[in-house]
Amino acid sequence: MSRSDVSLRRSRVLLTCYFLGLGVVMAVWGARTPAVQHAAHLTTGSLSLVLLAAAAGMVAGLQAGGRLARPERLSALLIGGAVALAAALAVLGQCRTLASLLAAALAFGAAHGVLDVAANTAAVRCQHAYGTPIMSSLHAAYSIGALFGAALAAATAGTAHSTLFLAVGAVLVVGVLAAVPRTLTLSGTDPILLSPHGGRHCTTGSVWLLGALAAASLLGEGAAADWAAVHVHALHAGTAVAASSFALYSTGMAIGRLTGDRLTTRFGAPAVVRVGAVLAATALATGVLVDSVPAALVGWAVFGLGLSGTVPSLITAAGSHGPGAVATVSVTGYLGLLAGPALIGALASITTLPTALLLPALLAAALAVLARRALENTAP
């Protein structure tokens, strides 16, 4: 094995750790949000403001990351973004007033956005250096990290959230600092790997199409996170069975991403996304139209499996146009993730929840139709 091959493998492992850590942090924060609300005596409306501040910070961080994520800066953005995210998580655990929480949440979201763009841009460049798809496995690391973070939060339910946030933040900082020498020599960050056009040869229309498809996919993820358990519970399932619906969705997502690189290598990204979207649309539509708990659980699991390859493929396509395109697609996609659950709730209030849940199924069908156009000429 040549020295360059060893360097690429080490870079891939390092990026896997960054994605894994990001998943852990976001899951720990999400799972213990009720404890944050209780400690600061927040109303539901006040908590919504804190979450909105985190979302606003993330959008700002994504945009800043898109402007700053040049090859010579990627290592610094990875290190700085990860340390800032860990520090913000630790500070969030100590906040006991709405004002302090708003400030810390804004910083937390901004760090998340910067790290998201830096990690995905570095992943795209490392993938180009590899010459074979690796993006799906990196996003699988995020999914696995989120599952681990959720399990950690559940296992430490009797521990103060401030202690958990501080411990997770400290472990992340130690890990990032220990990896600084490796991060500074990360493969795929050298200017020679830039396209000769510097990432500016894309059309605005193509980037916005990628962003719209990312929003459609992540709207489905938001629907699974906020409405899957409600849907299954409405079918007279017990609390534990209903709660397992999102775990099944997440498991399907993780399995799909662990196998996604091999499928993309063999069949190409457009085919993988198109077939997966058809599978997702069919499974979710069946799961919500058939009045059965087993059908609903299988529907949510297969929905996650079918959508698993979409975001990695869209980020890869955006990355070939430069970090600015990665930021645009990420911002648009996250808007779908944030707005989706509220939109489904509004539809459910004027129709029924099963009818409203046909929206992510229809969007998955639209993904299948538009996948080839959006991802044509996409290669690692």
Side-chain angles (χ1 to χ4, degrees):
M1 184 180 297
S2 68
R3 179 174 297 180
S4 62
D5 289 338
V6 172
S7 179
L8 279 173
R9 288 182 182 276
R10 288 176 176 173
S11 295
R12 180 177 181 178
V13 171
L14 179 65
L15 288 172
T16 298
C17 291
Y18 270 100
F19 277 94
L20 186 74
L22 182 56
V24 170
V25 169
M26 298 313 298
V28 166
W29 159 245
R32 298 302 294 271
T33 299
V36 174
Q37 179 183 16
H38 177 75
H41 307 289
L42 300 179
T43 64
T44 302
S46 296
L47 178 62
S48 297
L49 290 177
V50 173
L51 298 178
L52 181 62
M58 183 176 67
V59 170
L62 286 167
Q63 292 175 332
R67 291 191 296 269
L68 295 172
R70 296 297 180 260
E72 65 277 7
R73 299 173 182 164
L74 279 180
S75 295
L77 287 177
L78 285 169
I79 296 167
V83 170
L85 184 70
L89 179 68
V91 171
L92 279 167
Q94 310 305 315
C95 294
R96 297 294 183 270
T97 65
L98 176 59
S100 62
L101 278 170
L102 288 173
L106 189 67
F108 181 80
H112 177 197
V114 169
L115 181 58
D116 187 284
V117 172
N120 276 299
T121 301
V124 169
R125 298 177 65 78
C126 190
Q127 178 172 261
H128 275 283
Y130 254 93
T132 188
I134 63 169
M135 183 67 78
S136 186
S137 65
L138 293 175
H139 280 249
Y142 177 90
S143 299
I144 293 169
L147 288 172
F148 176 78
L152 177 63
T156 58
T159 303
H161 74 283
S162 56
T163 302
L164 177 62
F165 287 8
L166 183 61
V168 171
V171 169
L172 182 59
V173 168
V174 169
V176 170
L177 295 180
V180 164
R182 180 60 57 192
T183 306
L184 291 175
T185 58
L186 188 69
S187 292
T189 60
D190 49 305
I192 197 172
L193 292 175
L194 275 172
S195 72
H197 302 282
R200 293 187 294 272
H201 59 288
C202 63
T203 64
T204 301
S206 65
V207 173
W208 282 112
L209 176 59
L210 292 170
L213 295 186
S217 179
L218 289 176
L219 184 147
E221 183 169 334
D226 287 11
W227 290 106
V230 177
H231 168 232
V232 176
H233 186 68
L235 298 174
H236 309 293
T239 301
V241 173
S244 70
S245 57
F246 183 63
L248 288 171
Y249 167 89
S250 299
T251 301
M253 179 72 70
I255 291 172
R257 286 180 171 174
L258 286 171
T259 59
D261 291 330
R262 290 193 293 274
L263 293 175
T264 301
T265 299
R266 182 170 181 179
F267 301 108
V272 170
V273 172
R274 185 172 65 252
V275 172
V278 169
L279 185 65
T282 303
L284 183 58
T286 302
V288 299
L289 293 176
V290 176
D291 192 20
S292 162
V293 171
L297 293 174
V298 171
W300 285 111
V302 178
F303 184 63
L305 179 68
L307 289 183
S308 61
T310 302
V311 171
S313 295
L314 294 173
I315 292 295
T316 295
S320 65
H321 301 317
V326 172
T328 298
V329 172
S330 297
V331 168
T332 311
Y334 278 118
L335 289 177
L337 178 67
L338 295 171
L343 179 57
I344 289 172
L347 289 174
S349 68
I350 60 176
T351 57
T352 65
L353 181 57
T355 300
L357 287 174
L358 289 176
L359 174 62
L362 290 172
L363 290 175
L367 264 169
V369 173
L370 296 171
R372 180 175 294 280
R373 178 183 173 186
L375 298 172
E376 61 185 351
N377 301 321
T378 298

PDB file of all heavy atoms in Angstrom, residues 319-355:
ATOM      1  N   GLY A 319     -21.131  19.224  -3.900  1.00  0.00           N
ATOM      2  CA  GLY A 319     -19.710  19.412  -3.628  1.00  0.00           C
ATOM      3  C   GLY A 319     -18.880  19.583  -4.871  1.00  0.00           C
ATOM      4  O   GLY A 319     -17.840  20.250  -4.840  1.00  0.00           O
ATOM      5  N   SER A 320     -19.315  18.997  -5.963  1.00  0.00           N
ATOM      6  CA  SER A 320     -18.562  19.151  -7.212  1.00  0.00           C
ATOM      7  C   SER A 320     -18.641  20.583  -7.737  1.00  0.00           C
ATOM      8  O   SER A 320     -17.875  20.979  -8.607  1.00  0.00           O
ATOM      9  CB  SER A 320     -19.096  18.182  -8.273  1.00  0.00           C
ATOM     10  OG  SER A 320     -20.431  18.502  -8.622  1.00  0.00           O
ATOM     11  N   HIS A 321     -19.582  21.364  -7.209  1.00  0.00           N
ATOM     12  CA  HIS A 321     -19.714  22.769  -7.582  1.00  0.00           C
ATOM     13  C   HIS A 321     -19.045  23.712  -6.589  1.00  0.00           C
ATOM     14  O   HIS A 321     -19.077  24.925  -6.781  1.00  0.00           O
ATOM     15  CB  HIS A 321     -21.197  23.150  -7.685  1.00  0.00           C
ATOM     16  CG  HIS A 321     -21.961  22.340  -8.671  1.00  0.00           C
ATOM     17  ND1 HIS A 321     -21.484  22.021  -9.913  1.00  0.00           N
ATOM     18  CD2 HIS A 321     -23.198  21.763  -8.595  1.00  0.00           C
ATOM     19  CE1 HIS A 321     -22.379  21.301 -10.575  1.00  0.00           C
ATOM     20  NE2 HIS A 321     -23.423  21.127  -9.800  1.00  0.00           N
ATOM     21  N   GLY A 322     -18.490  23.179  -5.503  1.00  0.00           N
ATOM     22  CA  GLY A 322     -17.797  24.023  -4.534  1.00  0.00           C
ATOM     23  C   GLY A 322     -18.530  24.118  -3.206  1.00  0.00           C
ATOM     24  O   GLY A 322     -19.694  23.754  -3.092  1.00  0.00           O
ATOM     25  N   PRO A 323     -17.853  24.625  -2.166  1.00  0.00           N
ATOM     26  CA  PRO A 323     -18.443  24.702  -0.826  1.00  0.00           C
ATOM     27  C   PRO A 323     -19.661  25.604  -0.750  1.00  0.00           C
ATOM     28  O   PRO A 323     -20.542  25.389   0.072  1.00  0.00           O
ATOM     29  CB  PRO A 323     -17.294  25.243   0.037  1.00  0.00           C
ATOM     30  CG  PRO A 323     -16.338  25.877  -0.918  1.00  0.00           C
ATOM     31  CD  PRO A 323     -16.446  25.091  -2.179  1.00  0.00           C
ATOM     32  N   GLY A 324     -19.736  26.624  -1.590  1.00  0.00           N
ATOM     33  CA  GLY A 324     -20.915  27.479  -1.580  1.00  0.00           C
ATOM     34  C   GLY A 324     -22.165  26.710  -1.948  1.00  0.00           C
ATOM     35  O   GLY A 324     -23.242  26.927  -1.374  1.00  0.00           O
ATOM     36  N   ALA A 325     -22.043  25.792  -2.919  1.00  0.00           N
ATOM     37  CA  ALA A 325     -23.181  24.971  -3.311  1.00  0.00           C
ATOM     38  C   ALA A 325     -23.558  23.993  -2.201  1.00  0.00           C
ATOM     39  O   ALA A 325     -24.742  23.729  -1.964  1.00  0.00           O
ATOM     40  CB  ALA A 325     -22.860  24.210  -4.600  1.00  0.00           C
ATOM     41  N   VAL A 326     -22.550  23.459  -1.498  1.00  0.00           N
ATOM     42  CA  VAL A 326     -22.831  22.581  -0.354  1.00  0.00           C
ATOM     43  C   VAL A 326     -23.642  23.333   0.685  1.00  0.00           C
ATOM     44  O   VAL A 326     -24.623  22.810   1.236  1.00  0.00           O
ATOM     45  CB  VAL A 326     -21.521  22.060   0.271  1.00  0.00           C
ATOM     46  CG1 VAL A 326     -21.801  21.310   1.569  1.00  0.00           C
ATOM     47  CG2 VAL A 326     -20.798  21.137  -0.706  1.00  0.00           C
ATOM     48  N   ALA A 327     -23.267  24.568   0.964  1.00  0.00           N
ATOM     49  CA  ALA A 327     -23.988  25.380   1.949  1.00  0.00           C
ATOM     50  C   ALA A 327     -25.416  25.646   1.491  1.00  0.00           C
ATOM     51  O   ALA A 327     -26.358  25.547   2.276  1.00  0.00           O
ATOM     52  CB  ALA A 327     -23.247  26.688   2.183  1.00  0.00           C
ATOM     53  N   THR A 328     -25.591  25.986   0.210  1.00  0.00           N
ATOM     54  CA  THR A 328     -26.929  26.272  -0.304  1.00  0.00           C
ATOM     55  C   THR A 328     -27.831  25.065  -0.196  1.00  0.00           C
ATOM     56  O   THR A 328     -28.984  25.161   0.257  1.00  0.00           O
ATOM     57  CB  THR A 328     -26.846  26.730  -1.769  1.00  0.00           C
ATOM     58  OG1 THR A 328     -26.082  27.940  -1.850  1.00  0.00           O
ATOM     59  CG2 THR A 328     -28.227  26.972  -2.348  1.00  0.00           C
ATOM     60  N   VAL A 329     -27.323  23.912  -0.616  1.00  0.00           N
ATOM     61  CA  VAL A 329     -28.122  22.684  -0.553  1.00  0.00           C
ATOM     62  C   VAL A 329     -28.422  22.309   0.898  1.00  0.00           C
ATOM     63  O   VAL A 329     -29.534  21.891   1.230  1.00  0.00           O
ATOM     64  CB  VAL A 329     -27.390  21.533  -1.284  1.00  0.00           C
ATOM     65  CG1 VAL A 329     -28.098  20.202  -1.056  1.00  0.00           C
ATOM     66  CG2 VAL A 329     -27.317  21.832  -2.770  1.00  0.00           C
ATOM     67  N   SER A 330     -27.448  22.501   1.786  1.00  0.00           N
ATOM     68  CA  SER A 330     -27.661  22.181   3.200  1.00  0.00           C
ATOM     69  C   SER A 330     -28.706  23.090   3.821  1.00  0.00           C
ATOM     70  O   SER A 330     -29.598  22.624   4.541  1.00  0.00           O
ATOM     71  CB  SER A 330     -26.341  22.293   3.970  1.00  0.00           C
ATOM     72  OG  SER A 330     -25.393  21.359   3.501  1.00  0.00           O
ATOM     73  N   VAL A 331     -28.616  24.397   3.558  1.00  0.00           N
ATOM     74  CA  VAL A 331     -29.595  25.341   4.114  1.00  0.00           C
ATOM     75  C   VAL A 331     -30.998  24.994   3.638  1.00  0.00           C
ATOM     76  O   VAL A 331     -31.949  24.916   4.432  1.00  0.00           O
ATOM     77  CB  VAL A 331     -29.241  26.791   3.719  1.00  0.00           C
ATOM     78  CG1 VAL A 331     -30.407  27.728   4.045  1.00  0.00           C
ATOM     79  CG2 VAL A 331     -27.995  27.249   4.449  1.00  0.00           C
ATOM     80  N   THR A 332     -31.151  24.773   2.333  1.00  0.00           N
ATOM     81  CA  THR A 332     -32.458  24.456   1.778  1.00  0.00           C
ATOM     82  C   THR A 332     -32.986  23.147   2.349  1.00  0.00           C
ATOM     83  O   THR A 332     -34.173  23.023   2.686  1.00  0.00           O
ATOM     84  CB  THR A 332     -32.382  24.368   0.241  1.00  0.00           C
ATOM     85  OG1 THR A 332     -31.718  25.523  -0.268  1.00  0.00           O
ATOM     86  CG2 THR A 332     -33.775  24.286  -0.358  1.00  0.00           C
ATOM     87  N   GLY A 333     -32.095  22.160   2.462  1.00  0.00           N
ATOM     88  CA  GLY A 333     -32.508  20.885   3.019  1.00  0.00           C
ATOM     89  C   GLY A 333     -32.968  20.998   4.455  1.00  0.00           C
ATOM     90  O   GLY A 333     -33.996  20.438   4.845  1.00  0.00           O
ATOM     91  N   TYR A 334     -32.221  21.758   5.267  1.00  0.00           N
ATOM     92  CA  TYR A 334     -32.595  21.919   6.673  1.00  0.00           C
ATOM     93  C   TYR A 334     -33.901  22.689   6.826  1.00  0.00           C
ATOM     94  O   TYR A 334     -34.645  22.483   7.794  1.00  0.00           O
ATOM     95  CB  TYR A 334     -31.478  22.595   7.457  1.00  0.00           C
ATOM     96  CG  TYR A 334     -30.396  21.630   7.873  1.00  0.00           C
ATOM     97  CD1 TYR A 334     -29.083  21.778   7.431  1.00  0.00           C
ATOM     98  CD2 TYR A 334     -30.674  20.545   8.709  1.00  0.00           C
ATOM     99  CE1 TYR A 334     -28.087  20.893   7.798  1.00  0.00           C
ATOM    100  CE2 TYR A 334     -29.685  19.655   9.082  1.00  0.00           C
ATOM    101  CZ  TYR A 334     -28.393  19.831   8.625  1.00  0.00           C
ATOM    102  OH  TYR A 334     -27.411  18.942   8.988  1.00  0.00           O
ATOM    103  N   LEU A 335     -34.203  23.580   5.895  1.00  0.00           N
ATOM    104  CA  LEU A 335     -35.489  24.262   5.938  1.00  0.00           C
ATOM    105  C   LEU A 335     -36.627  23.249   5.798  1.00  0.00           C
ATOM    106  O   LEU A 335     -37.662  23.366   6.458  1.00  0.00           O
ATOM    107  CB  LEU A 335     -35.576  25.320   4.832  1.00  0.00           C
ATOM    108  CG  LEU A 335     -34.701  26.557   5.031  1.00  0.00           C
ATOM    109  CD1 LEU A 335     -34.817  27.491   3.821  1.00  0.00           C
ATOM    110  CD2 LEU A 335     -35.079  27.294   6.305  1.00  0.00           C
ATOM    111  N   GLY A 336     -36.432  22.250   4.943  1.00  0.00           N
ATOM    112  CA  GLY A 336     -37.423  21.180   4.828  1.00  0.00           C
ATOM    113  C   GLY A 336     -37.547  20.387   6.108  1.00  0.00           C
ATOM    114  O   GLY A 336     -38.652  20.038   6.549  1.00  0.00           O
ATOM    115  N   LEU A 337     -36.406  20.113   6.743  1.00  0.00           N
ATOM    116  CA  LEU A 337     -36.403  19.359   7.997  1.00  0.00           C
ATOM    117  C   LEU A 337     -37.138  20.126   9.093  1.00  0.00           C
ATOM    118  O   LEU A 337     -37.904  19.546   9.874  1.00  0.00           O
ATOM    119  CB  LEU A 337     -34.956  19.101   8.425  1.00  0.00           C
ATOM    120  CG  LEU A 337     -34.751  18.366   9.752  1.00  0.00           C
ATOM    121  CD1 LEU A 337     -35.248  16.935   9.663  1.00  0.00           C
ATOM    122  CD2 LEU A 337     -33.272  18.384  10.135  1.00  0.00           C
ATOM    123  N   LEU A 338     -36.924  21.450   9.153  1.00  0.00           N
ATOM    124  CA  LEU A 338     -37.523  22.257  10.214  1.00  0.00           C
ATOM    125  C   LEU A 338     -38.998  22.547   9.949  1.00  0.00           C
ATOM    126  O   LEU A 338     -39.813  22.550  10.880  1.00  0.00           O
ATOM    127  CB  LEU A 338     -36.752  23.580  10.349  1.00  0.00           C
ATOM    128  CG  LEU A 338     -35.292  23.450  10.804  1.00  0.00           C
ATOM    129  CD1 LEU A 338     -34.581  24.791  10.672  1.00  0.00           C
ATOM    130  CD2 LEU A 338     -35.213  22.957  12.233  1.00  0.00           C
ATOM    131  N   ALA A 339     -39.340  22.807   8.693  1.00  0.00           N
ATOM    132  CA  ALA A 339     -40.711  23.201   8.379  1.00  0.00           C
ATOM    133  C   ALA A 339     -41.637  22.013   8.173  1.00  0.00           C
ATOM    134  O   ALA A 339     -42.859  22.136   8.363  1.00  0.00           O
ATOM    135  CB  ALA A 339     -40.720  24.079   7.118  1.00  0.00           C
ATOM    136  N   GLY A 340     -41.073  20.858   7.811  1.00  0.00           N
ATOM    137  CA  GLY A 340     -41.891  19.704   7.484  1.00  0.00           C
ATOM    138  C   GLY A 340     -42.875  19.271   8.558  1.00  0.00           C
ATOM    139  O   GLY A 340     -44.079  19.116   8.288  1.00  0.00           O
ATOM    140  N   PRO A 341     -42.412  19.051   9.792  1.00  0.00           N
ATOM    141  CA  PRO A 341     -43.345  18.598  10.836  1.00  0.00           C
ATOM    142  C   PRO A 341     -44.505  19.557  11.062  1.00  0.00           C
ATOM    143  O   PRO A 341     -45.647  19.130  11.237  1.00  0.00           O
ATOM    144  CB  PRO A 341     -42.446  18.503  12.077  1.00  0.00           C
ATOM    145  CG  PRO A 341     -41.089  18.223  11.518  1.00  0.00           C
ATOM    146  CD  PRO A 341     -41.014  19.031  10.258  1.00  0.00           C
ATOM    147  N   ALA A 342     -44.235  20.868  11.039  1.00  0.00           N
ATOM    148  CA  ALA A 342     -45.304  21.848  11.226  1.00  0.00           C
ATOM    149  C   ALA A 342     -46.290  21.801  10.065  1.00  0.00           C
ATOM    150  O   ALA A 342     -47.516  21.902  10.263  1.00  0.00           O
ATOM    151  CB  ALA A 342     -44.711  23.249  11.365  1.00  0.00           C
ATOM    152  N   LEU A 343     -45.772  21.630   8.846  1.00  0.00           N
ATOM    153  CA  LEU A 343     -46.641  21.558   7.669  1.00  0.00           C
ATOM    154  C   LEU A 343     -47.543  20.324   7.747  1.00  0.00           C
ATOM    155  O   LEU A 343     -48.746  20.398   7.450  1.00  0.00           O
ATOM    156  CB  LEU A 343     -45.780  21.514   6.401  1.00  0.00           C
ATOM    157  CG  LEU A 343     -46.535  21.418   5.069  1.00  0.00           C
ATOM    158  CD1 LEU A 343     -47.504  22.570   4.912  1.00  0.00           C
ATOM    159  CD2 LEU A 343     -45.545  21.377   3.914  1.00  0.00           C
ATOM    160  N   ILE A 344     -46.972  19.207   8.157  1.00  0.00           N
ATOM    161  CA  ILE A 344     -47.771  17.988   8.293  1.00  0.00           C
ATOM    162  C   ILE A 344     -48.824  18.160   9.383  1.00  0.00           C
ATOM    163  O   ILE A 344     -49.980  17.733   9.235  1.00  0.00           O
ATOM    164  CB  ILE A 344     -46.862  16.783   8.588  1.00  0.00           C
ATOM    165  CG1 ILE A 344     -46.066  16.439   7.328  1.00  0.00           C
ATOM    166  CG2 ILE A 344     -47.676  15.569   9.049  1.00  0.00           C
ATOM    167  CD1 ILE A 344     -45.005  15.409   7.531  1.00  0.00           C
ATOM    168  N   GLY A 345     -48.457  18.816  10.479  1.00  0.00           N
ATOM    169  CA  GLY A 345     -49.433  19.076  11.535  1.00  0.00           C
ATOM    170  C   GLY A 345     -50.581  19.938  11.048  1.00  0.00           C
ATOM    171  O   GLY A 345     -51.748  19.696  11.393  1.00  0.00           O
ATOM    172  N   ALA A 346     -50.257  20.954  10.231  1.00  0.00           N
ATOM    173  CA  ALA A 346     -51.300  21.822   9.699  1.00  0.00           C
ATOM    174  C   ALA A 346     -52.226  21.047   8.764  1.00  0.00           C
ATOM    175  O   ALA A 346     -53.460  21.204   8.814  1.00  0.00           O
ATOM    176  CB  ALA A 346     -50.670  23.006   8.964  1.00  0.00           C
ATOM    177  N   LEU A 347     -51.643  20.210   7.924  1.00  0.00           N
ATOM    178  CA  LEU A 347     -52.468  19.391   7.023  1.00  0.00           C
ATOM    179  C   LEU A 347     -53.340  18.413   7.802  1.00  0.00           C
ATOM    180  O   LEU A 347     -54.504  18.182   7.464  1.00  0.00           O
ATOM    181  CB  LEU A 347     -51.571  18.628   6.047  1.00  0.00           C
ATOM    182  CG  LEU A 347     -50.867  19.460   4.968  1.00  0.00           C
ATOM    183  CD1 LEU A 347     -49.898  18.580   4.173  1.00  0.00           C
ATOM    184  CD2 LEU A 347     -51.887  20.089   4.033  1.00  0.00           C
ATOM    185  N   ALA A 348     -52.761  17.829   8.852  1.00  0.00           N
ATOM    186  CA  ALA A 348     -53.514  16.872   9.664  1.00  0.00           C
ATOM    187  C   ALA A 348     -54.702  17.533  10.348  1.00  0.00           C
ATOM    188  O   ALA A 348     -55.737  16.903  10.568  1.00  0.00           O
ATOM    189  CB  ALA A 348     -52.598  16.220  10.698  1.00  0.00           C
ATOM    190  N   SER A 349     -54.553  18.814  10.695  1.00  0.00           N
ATOM    191  CA  SER A 349     -55.633  19.509  11.393  1.00  0.00           C
ATOM    192  C   SER A 349     -56.833  19.768  10.495  1.00  0.00           C
ATOM    193  O   SER A 349     -57.959  19.940  10.986  1.00  0.00           O
ATOM    194  CB  SER A 349     -55.115  20.834  11.962  1.00  0.00           C
ATOM    195  OG  SER A 349     -54.803  21.747  10.918  1.00  0.00           O
ATOM    196  N   ILE A 350     -56.617  19.799   9.184  1.00  0.00           N
ATOM    197  CA  ILE A 350     -57.738  20.038   8.272  1.00  0.00           C
ATOM    198  C   ILE A 350     -58.156  18.770   7.526  1.00  0.00           C
ATOM    199  O   ILE A 350     -59.194  18.763   6.863  1.00  0.00           O
ATOM    200  CB  ILE A 350     -57.396  21.149   7.257  1.00  0.00           C
ATOM    201  CG1 ILE A 350     -56.178  20.774   6.420  1.00  0.00           C
ATOM    202  CG2 ILE A 350     -57.161  22.467   7.973  1.00  0.00           C
ATOM    203  CD1 ILE A 350     -55.841  21.793   5.338  1.00  0.00           C
ATOM    204  N   THR A 351     -57.346  17.708   7.640  1.00  0.00           N
ATOM    205  CA  THR A 351     -57.730  16.420   7.041  1.00  0.00           C
ATOM    206  C   THR A 351     -57.615  15.354   8.125  1.00  0.00           C
ATOM    207  O   THR A 351     -58.341  15.370   9.093  1.00  0.00           O
ATOM    208  CB  THR A 351     -56.840  16.086   5.831  1.00  0.00           C
ATOM    209  OG1 THR A 351     -55.451  16.087   6.232  1.00  0.00           O
ATOM    210  CG2 THR A 351     -57.016  17.109   4.714  1.00  0.00           C
ATOM    211  N   THR A 352     -56.714  14.419   7.943  1.00  0.00           N
ATOM    212  CA  THR A 352     -56.384  13.417   8.957  1.00  0.00           C
ATOM    213  C   THR A 352     -54.880  13.215   8.929  1.00  0.00           C
ATOM    214  O   THR A 352     -54.221  13.566   7.941  1.00  0.00           O
ATOM    215  CB  THR A 352     -57.077  12.068   8.695  1.00  0.00           C
ATOM    216  OG1 THR A 352     -56.570  11.515   7.458  1.00  0.00           O
ATOM    217  CG2 THR A 352     -58.587  12.227   8.616  1.00  0.00           C
ATOM    218  N   LEU A 353     -54.324  12.641  10.002  1.00  0.00           N
ATOM    219  CA  LEU A 353     -52.876  12.420  10.031  1.00  0.00           C
ATOM    220  C   LEU A 353     -52.427  11.467   8.923  1.00  0.00           C
ATOM    221  O   LEU A 353     -51.422  11.752   8.247  1.00  0.00           O
ATOM    222  CB  LEU A 353     -52.446  11.896  11.405  1.00  0.00           C
ATOM    223  CG  LEU A 353     -50.942  11.640  11.560  1.00  0.00           C
ATOM    224  CD1 LEU A 353     -50.127  12.887  11.261  1.00  0.00           C
ATOM    225  CD2 LEU A 353     -50.635  11.137  12.968  1.00  0.00           C
ATOM    226  N   PRO A 354     -53.095  10.336   8.705  1.00  0.00           N
ATOM    227  CA  PRO A 354     -52.656   9.470   7.590  1.00  0.00           C
ATOM    228  C   PRO A 354     -52.649  10.194   6.250  1.00  0.00           C
ATOM    229  O   PRO A 354     -51.735  10.003   5.437  1.00  0.00           O
ATOM    230  CB  PRO A 354     -53.687   8.325   7.611  1.00  0.00           C
ATOM    231  CG  PRO A 354     -54.138   8.262   9.027  1.00  0.00           C
ATOM    232  CD  PRO A 354     -54.171   9.700   9.487  1.00  0.00           C
ATOM    233  N   THR A 355     -53.653  11.033   6.020  1.00  0.00           N
ATOM    234  CA  THR A 355     -53.688  11.794   4.768  1.00  0.00           C
ATOM    235  C   THR A 355     -52.506  12.761   4.691  1.00  0.00           C
ATOM    236  O   THR A 355     -51.849  12.885   3.647  1.00  0.00           O
ATOM    237  CB  THR A 355     -55.002  12.571   4.650  1.00  0.00           C
ATOM    238  OG1 THR A 355     -56.103  11.655   4.674  1.00  0.00           O
ATOM    239  CG2 THR A 355     -55.046  13.370   3.353  1.00  0.00           C
TER     240      THR A 355
END
